[in-house]
Amino acid sequence: MELDFSYENMFSYEKRIGQSFKTRTGKASAIMGDMPSSQVRIAHMKKKEGEAMSAVAASTANLTRRNFLKASIAVAGGTWLGTAIGCSSGDSLSGEGSSSQAEEQVFNGVCKPNCFHGCQLKVHVREGKVVKTSAAPYPNPEFNRICLRGLSHVTNIYDPDRVQYPLKRVGERGANEWERISWEDAIAEIAEKFTSYREEFGDQAVMKCAVSGNYGSINGGFTSKFFSSINASTMAPSLDLSNAIGLNRVVGWAGTWMGNDPRDLKNAKNIFIWGNNITDAQIHEWHFVADAIEAGSNVIVVDPIFTHMAAKAQKFVPIRPGADAALILSMMQVVIEEDLIDREFMQKYTVAPFLVRDDTGMFLRMSDVGVQPAEGPVNLLTGEPTKIDPAVVWDGVAGASASSAECAAPEIEGEFTVEGVACHTAYSLLKAEASQYPPDVAEGITEVPAATIVELAHLAADGPVTHRVGWGPQAYDNGVHPHHAGAALAAITGQMCEPGKIYGCADINGFTGFDATLSAPATPVTSPTISNLIMPEVMETGTYMGEDIVIKALWVYQGNPLCTFVDSNAKKKMFDKFEFIVTVDSMLTDTARYSDMVLPCAQFFEYEDIVGSGNNNHVVHCDKAIDPPFEAKPDTEIMRMLAEKMGMADLFPESDSEWLQKYVDTEAAAALGISYDALKEKKAIRWAPDPLVRWTDKKFLTPSGRMEFYVEAPTPMDYYGQQIDVNREHLPRFFPPTEAWPENPLHEKYPFVLLSERPRFRVHGQWFNNRILRELDPEPTVKINPADAAAKGIKTGDHVECYNDRGHAVAMAVLNEAVRPGTLVYPKSWQVHQHLAGGWSELSSSSHDPVAVNQSYMDELCDIRAWEGAE
Ligand code: SF4
C-alpha cells in the first residue's frame, strides 16, 4: 500500500489506523479524553504561532526593532508565510509549489528520529524539491511502515521557520535576536575562540554535547572525530538508560536496548508490556502486537496510565508510578512459593547455584579454595592474559564444593561453609529478597490487588512469555531495579533463549561490523565525559572529581538539551556559565535560541548516509535526494570547514561517499553480503538472523556467561566520585522513588506525580514545529483525571499552570478518565516558546540514582491551578 502525502489523506490514514485497531482487537479505539474542539485548539495555536514566527522572522532577517514590529503586524494580518525567514525573496519553499507535471524522481531515504524503527522511505522529488514521502519496501514487507511523522517530513524540510543562514546572537542570550553572518565569519570566529580557550585553559575547555536526533553514520562519525581530535570534553546525555542497565546487568552488555525481533511476539503465549505505550510511541510496532493477539497471545499491560496500548490489551494492570520493582519481586515471591521455577534452567544458565560469600558479598572462587586460576585469552585492551577462576558451587550428590565449570547439577538453594567461609547460593539470596514482598504487602506498595499479583505470577510462569519493556518504569531514581528484577524473574522461570521467550526492549541495536576506527582520533581523548546531570554543579563550582576544571565553549549537535534534558532552569543557569555556545540545527529549538551562534544543518534527505540501526535489523542506504536549501550544510561539511580553519585540513581526507564506502566495506559486513555498492543497488540488506531471537545459544555476555541476577561488582554508569551502596545493588530491590512518592513530605505541598508521556506527534523534540501535525496537536496539553479536575475547578480547555519549586508550565487542561487520580500526564518536548509560560522540562529534577546516572523525568511532584496570566 502506498500512502500519499496530502492533508486529506493523512486524516483518512489516521481513520484507517483506527479501523484497523477496532477490527483486529474488537475493541474501541483511542482513549482520547474530552478534547476541546480542534477549531478552538487550532485558533489558539495560530495565535501562538504568530507570536513565535514574529520573533524568528525579525531576528533572522536582522531587522531593526521597528521592522520587527512591522513583521509582527504582518503576522497578525495573516501573512505569516510571507514574512517567514528565507521567504523574503518570494521563493516559497513549499514542495507543493513544484509543478505536478514535472517529472518525478524517487530516492531512497530513512526516517531518522529515534522512535526505533527507521522506516525506509521513498522520497519523491520534482524540480529539485521534495513533494512527498511514502513507505518504501523492505525485503520483508512486514517491516514496511510509515506514520504521520514520516508522512509529514516535507513540511519539516520547507518549514518557514527553518534556519537558513548562520546566525549570531545580537541580544541577550535567549532573547531570540540574531544577525545573519556568513559561513566564513562564523567558522573563523568559532575557530578563533576554540583555539584561544584551548591554549589558555586546556583542551577540556571545549565541550561537545549530542543526543540522537538526526542519527546515522556520517554526521556523528565526522563530528566525533573532530572533537576527539582536539581532545574536547563531552557532556553525556545520561537519558533513557536505566531499563538497559537493569537488563544488561543480568544478560551482559551486547548493546544498549536488547530484545527479540518484533515478529517473535506472536510466539509468546503471554506478553507483558511494562510501561510502553507502543501504539503511540513506537507506532510501527503496534501491528506486530496485533498480529500476536490474532495468533492467540494474551497481552497484559502494566502502566499507571490507561494508554492506547492498554486499551488494546486483554488485561490492564494499573500500578502506582514508580512501584514496578515491588510488583515484580512479589510475582517472584509467588513463583518461588508455588514452585513455578525452572530449576534446570537456573542450574545451567544462571548464577543461581553460585556461592556468595557472607563476608564480602563476592562469589566464592576456586582460587579461594586453593585452585590457581588458569590463563585465558589475552585481553586486547590490557595485553595481559585473562584469568579463569570459576565460581564455587555445592555438589549435592558428592556433598562437597565443586567448580561451577564442572558440576552438572549443583544445588541452587542453601547455605554452605566451604574452607571456613560461610556462603549462601545466589538464588537463596534472591529468594530472601523476594520473600519480603508477599502479595498482600506488595498490594500496599503498588496498589495492585494481591489476587491480581498472584494471577500475574501464574501468567509469568506460563510460557512462552515475552516481557516487553518500555521507558516508563525506568524514569525514576529507582529505575534500574524493575528491570534487574524483571530479568531475574525471566531467569528463574526459564523464559529466555527460545522463540517467544525474552525479557527485553525493542531491539534497536544496529549492525556493529562497520569500521568504527574511521571516527577515532590519532591519540586517545583525555578530557572528561561529564553527565549533564552534574554539569550545573561542575560549572557552578569549577571543579570535577575534586580537581579544578575550566570549560568555556559548548558545541551542541543532534540534540536539544534545553528541552529534552531534565531541570531546564538549572540547565539554563549552567548554560549561562559557558562563554560561547554553538548549536548546529535546522530549527530554532530551545537550545538554539539559548546559543550564541546557530549553524543551519542539512536534513535527512539532503545528504548521503548509511543507517545501520532500527528494530527492523536492516542496513539501509539513504540517497541524497535534494541539495540543502539556502545555506544549510551537512554536518560533514561544517566539520571539514572548521578542521581546515583550525589547521587540521587533512583530518577528513575522504569525500563523504569515500568515507561511507570505507565505513561499510569491512570483512564483517562482507560476510553478510553487505557492501557499499550492494547497498546502493539494493537499498536495504538485513544484517541479523531472521528472525532475531536473542540468547538461543544460551551464552550470555556476562563474566560468567550465565544470567547474573546476582551482580557481584556493580559499577556506576558514569563515575564522578559518587558513593555507591554496593550491597543494595547486588540484587533487585524495591525502594521508593526519591520525590514522586506519597510518603515524601513534599507530597503534601505538591500532590500530583507528573508523568511525561511520549507523544504520537513528536519524537522527543523533533517535529515540534511541524505545521501539519500541529493541526492535530496544536499546543501543550496536560491530562488530568476528572475527579481531580473537579476538586480544582478545572475544565477541559482551561489554561492551567503546573508548578513546583523548580519551575512551572502552562498548558491546556484535558479531562481524561484514562489518567490515574493523583497524576498529571504531560506530553513531552513542547518548546518553551510554544507555552504560554514556563516549559514542561522546568518541572523535572536533576536528582538521579548514583549508579544509573540517568534522567528521572517522572520522579517529580507538582501541583496544578488555573492560569491567571495572559492568554
Ligand atoms: S517516526 Fe518512526 S514510525 Fe514514524 S515514519 Fe519515522 S521511523 Fe517510522
Side-chain angles (χ1 to χ4, degrees):
M1 174 176 69
E2 180 165 310
L3 297 169
D4 264 356
F5 172 87
S6 73
Y7 195 77
E8 295 74 19
N9 213 43
M10 289 172 77
F11 279 101
S12 64
Y13 176 61
E14 181 80 344
K15 256 191 242 160
R16 280 201 298 277
I17 293 173
Q19 264 176 2
S20 151
F21 284 2
K22 206 165 183 175
T23 311
R24 300 183 93 167
T25 66
K27 289 195 173 189
S29 186
I31 308 296
M32 291 300 286
D34 181 16
M35 295 288 285
S37 80
S38 59
Q39 284 81 358
V40 171
R41 302 185 76 214
I42 289 166
H44 181 75
M45 177 273 285
K46 283 187 173 159
K47 177 175 179 290
K48 289 283 295 166
E49 198 66 51
E51 288 160 9
M53 282 299 307
S54 63
V56 176
S59 59
T60 53
N62 192 20
L63 297 179
T64 63
R65 177 71 51 185
R66 181 176 301 173
N67 285 341
F68 171 89
L69 290 174
K70 279 186 189 165
S72 300
I73 293 164
V75 170
T79 57
W80 56 273
L81 271 172
T83 62
I85 42 175
C87 296
S88 52
S89 65
D91 176 21
S92 165
L93 264 181
S94 162
E96 293 298 326
S98 66
S99 163
S100 59
Q101 307 302 318
E103 190 187 341
E104 183 169 296
Q105 293 172 285
V106 179
F107 295 89
N108 206 62
V110 166
C111 184
K112 290 195 279 186
N114 56 2
C115 88
F116 302 152
H117 190 56
C119 290
Q120 194 185 187
L121 305 180
K122 287 184 195 170
V123 184
H124 303 253
V125 174
R126 287 201 297 266
E127 295 179 325
K129 292 175 180 171
V130 177
V131 292
K132 70 173 181 178
T133 43
S134 61
Y138 273 104
N140 183 330
E142 282 181 280
F143 290 114
N144 299 353
R145 272 302 177 271
I146 190 166
C147 75
L148 294 177
R149 296 174 298 216
L151 284 164
S152 61
H153 275 298
V154 69
T155 52
N156 288 346
I157 298 169
Y158 303 117
D159 191 302
D161 280 356
R162 184 163 171 181
V163 182
Q164 297 169 8
Y165 321 105
L167 301 174
K168 184 174 174 180
R169 173 171 69 86
V170 292
E172 288 292 302
R173 213 180 244 172
N176 199 26
E177 292 171 9
W178 309 92
E179 65 177 352
R180 176 181 174 178
I181 58 171
S182 69
W183 271 105
E184 290 68 28
D185 288 350
I187 294 295
E189 184 173 339
I190 296 165
E192 187 276 316
K193 282 190 156 46
F194 280 11
T195 303
S196 64
Y197 291 144
R198 292 173 68 216
E199 283 174 0
E200 190 172 352
F201 304 108
D203 291 343
Q204 81 297 326
V206 175
M207 175 172 256
K208 74 177 195 305
C209 175
V211 197
S212 51
N214 215 18
Y215 76 89
S217 301
I218 199 159
N219 280 345
F222 268 61
T223 311
S224 175
K225 181 163 185 179
F226 173 83
F227 280 98
S228 44
S229 296
I230 63 167
N231 195 26
S233 50
T234 298
M235 189 191 308
S238 308
L239 48 82
D240 291 344
L241 282 172
S242 286
N243 51 1
I245 297 167
L247 167 64
N248 285 288
R249 276 182 171 183
V250 181
V251 297
W253 201 278
T256 310
W257 295 283
M258 288 178 295
N260 287 352
D261 190 307
R263 290 172 296 165
D264 182 57
L265 284 165
K266 62 180 176 297
N267 294 320
K269 183 173 181 183
N270 290 304
I271 300 170
F272 283 81
I273 297 178
W274 298 91
N276 196 179
N277 189 14
I278 293 173
T279 50
D280 287 41
Q282 281 98 44
I283 299 171
H284 53 274
E285 280 208 30
W286 151 245
H287 71 105
F288 295 112
V289 183
D291 288 346
I293 293 171
E294 281 186 354
S297 301
N298 180 38
V299 173
I300 306 109
V301 167
V302 184
D303 205 303
I305 313 166
F306 186 53
T307 59
H308 294 117
M309 185 63 249
K312 309 300 166 199
Q314 278 88 344
K315 186 168 187 65
F316 168 54
V317 181
I319 185 169
R320 177 183 278 173
D324 300 74
L327 173 61
I328 297 170
L329 284 163
S330 186
M331 290 163 65
M332 214 181 283
Q333 190 272 340
V334 175
V335 163
I336 293 168
E337 176 98 358
E338 298 189 18
D339 199 21
L340 302 175
I341 57 173
D342 187 333
R343 205 167 288 274
E344 188 183 345
F345 186 90
M346 273 204 274
Q347 279 176 326
K348 288 185 179 167
Y349 308 119
T350 78
V351 293
F354 284 18
L355 298 185
V356 179
R357 300 176 61 126
D358 289 354
D359 54 355
T360 62
M362 303 295 280
F363 293 138
L364 185 72
R365 298 279 172 187
M366 290 303 287
S367 58
D368 294 328
V369 295
V371 178
Q372 286 309 304
E375 269 195 9
V378 171
N379 180 326
L380 294 176
L381 291 177
T382 64
E384 299 291 323
T386 49
K387 285 186 180 163
I388 301 177
D389 189 8
V392 177
V393 296
W394 190 262
D395 185 335
V397 177
S401 64
S403 164
S404 57
E406 290 164 9
C407 184
E411 296 289 339
I412 61 168
E413 199 171 342
E415 51 181 302
F416 305 93
T417 299
V418 180
E419 302 281 337
V421 181
C423 303
H424 287 76
T425 67
Y427 175 64
S428 289
L429 297 174
L430 180 68
K431 182 177 171 181
E433 186 63 29
S435 71
Q436 298 177 51
Y437 300 93
D440 57 331
V441 172
E443 178 176 333
I445 300 169
T446 62
E447 295 184 348
V448 177
T452 303
I453 296 175
V454 173
E455 183 191 350
L456 294 179
H458 294 167
L459 293 170
D462 187 11
V465 177
T466 288
H467 295 270
R468 168 59 194 260
V469 177
W471 280 258
Q474 63 94 47
Y476 304 85
D477 282 1
N478 65 7
V480 167
H481 285 258
H483 304 290
H484 185 173
L489 176 63
I492 69 169
T493 50
Q495 297 301 322
M496 295 287 277
C497 312
E498 291 174 21
K501 297 181 175 182
I502 188 76
Y503 184 91
C505 310
D507 195 313
I508 56 161
N509 298 289
F511 178 62
T512 53
F514 295 135
D515 185 359
T517 63
L518 273 177
S519 308
T523 53
V525 175
T526 55
S527 293
T529 294
I530 307 175
S531 167
N532 80 82
L533 293 163
I534 63 158
M535 272 301 292
E537 190 185 326
V538 170
M539 294 302 282
E540 180 65 34
T541 62
T543 59
Y544 174 65
M545 302 267 283
E547 305 276 337
D548 290 345
I549 187 168
V550 179
I551 307 172
K552 293 285 179 183
L554 180 65
W555 178 280
V556 181
Y557 65 109
Q558 297 185 338
N560 179 9
L562 276 190
C563 174
T564 57
F565 289 4
V566 290
D567 207 356
S568 57
N569 280 336
K571 293 292 185 311
K572 267 189 194 154
K573 282 189 194 151
M574 177 258 284
F575 264 48
D576 287 339
K577 301 281 180 189
F578 284 96
E579 281 186 10
F580 185 53
I581 301 170
V582 180
T583 292
V584 182
D585 211 309
S586 60
M587 302 295 291
L588 281 172
T589 62
D590 284 349
T591 306
R593 285 164 189 249
Y594 216 71
S595 301
D596 301 302
M597 203 177 274
V598 182
L599 303 180
C601 65
Q603 291 198 341
F604 305 160
F605 311 135
E606 297 161 6
Y607 56 91
E608 185 188 12
D609 202 357
I610 302 280
V611 170
S613 58
N615 70 343
N616 52 61
N617 306 125
H618 286 74
V619 180
V620 183
H621 182 268
C622 313
D623 301 327
K624 177 182 173 183
I626 56 168
D627 286 327
F630 297 96
E631 292 189 8
K633 292 184 186 298
D635 292 46
T636 51
E637 201 177 326
I638 298 171
M639 287 298 107
R640 273 199 193 90
M641 290 167 71
L642 189 54
E644 188 175 348
K645 198 73 185 174
M646 290 179 67
M648 300 185 292
D650 56 354
L651 192 61
F652 304 111
E654 309 92 352
S655 68
D656 288 10
S657 295
E658 287 165 348
W659 190 95
L660 283 169
Q661 178 143 22
K662 281 190 186 175
Y663 183 69
V664 172
D665 286 347
T666 63
E667 278 181 29
L672 295 166
I674 298 170
S675 69
Y676 178 70
D677 290 338
L679 280 170
K680 281 191 83 165
E681 184 198 333
K682 296 180 181 170
K683 302 304 180 192
I685 301 175
R686 187 173 177 86
W687 63 266
D690 194 7
L692 174 65
V693 177
R694 291 267 176 190
W695 318 116
T696 49
D697 60 0
K698 299 187 174 73
K699 289 185 179 139
F700 295 92
L701 293 168
T702 53
S704 67
R706 297 168 177 241
M707 292 185 77
E708 295 196 354
F709 56 71
Y710 186 92
V711 184
E712 198 180 15
T715 49
M717 198 60 195
D718 283 310
Y719 182 63
Y720 53 87
Q722 73 272 42
Q723 292 292 314
I724 289 171
D725 179 356
V726 172
N727 287 333
R728 189 190 74 176
E729 301 302 320
H730 286 312
L731 286 165
R733 323 256 187 204
F734 169 73
F735 50 92
T738 301
E739 181 170 309
W741 198 246
E743 276 83 61
N744 179 358
L746 195 65
H747 194 266
E748 275 189 32
K749 185 176 176 190
Y750 297 120
F752 289 92
V753 177
L754 191 78
L755 302 174
S756 300
E757 177 185 62
R758 287 170 195 246
R760 169 174 291 198
F761 301 107
R762 294 181 297 288
V763 179
H764 301 301
Q766 290 170 294
W767 280 272
F768 76 85
N769 212 36
N770 186 289
R771 296 299 199 262
I772 294 289
L773 298 186
R774 290 196 57 195
E775 291 285 324
L776 300 167
D777 188 31
E779 65 168 298
T781 53
V782 59
K783 292 183 238 175
I784 181 169
N785 185 278
D788 287 334
K792 294 277 183 184
I794 291 168
K795 303 183 302 303
T796 285
D798 288 352
H799 281 113
V800 290
E801 182 184 27
C802 304
Y803 64 99
N804 60 22
D805 291 342
R806 289 180 291 271
H808 72 153
V810 174
M812 184 182 281
V814 177
L815 273 56
N816 191 327
E817 293 279 0
V819 176
R820 183 184 179 83
T823 67
L824 302 171
V825 177
Y826 205 121
K828 289 176 84 169
S829 304
W830 286 102
Q831 307 297 295
V832 164
H833 71 269
Q834 295 176 316
H835 285 79
L836 282 173
W840 75 274
S841 176
E842 290 185 11
L843 297 156
S844 52
S845 156
S846 295
S847 167
H848 58 275
D849 177 67
V851 179
V853 194
N854 185 53
Q855 301 199 49
S856 303
Y857 57 85
M858 293 201 203
D859 203 340
E860 56 195 86
L861 292 171
C862 68
D863 202 356
I864 186 168
R865 61 192 168 201
W867 169 242
E868 296 187 342
E871 289 288 316

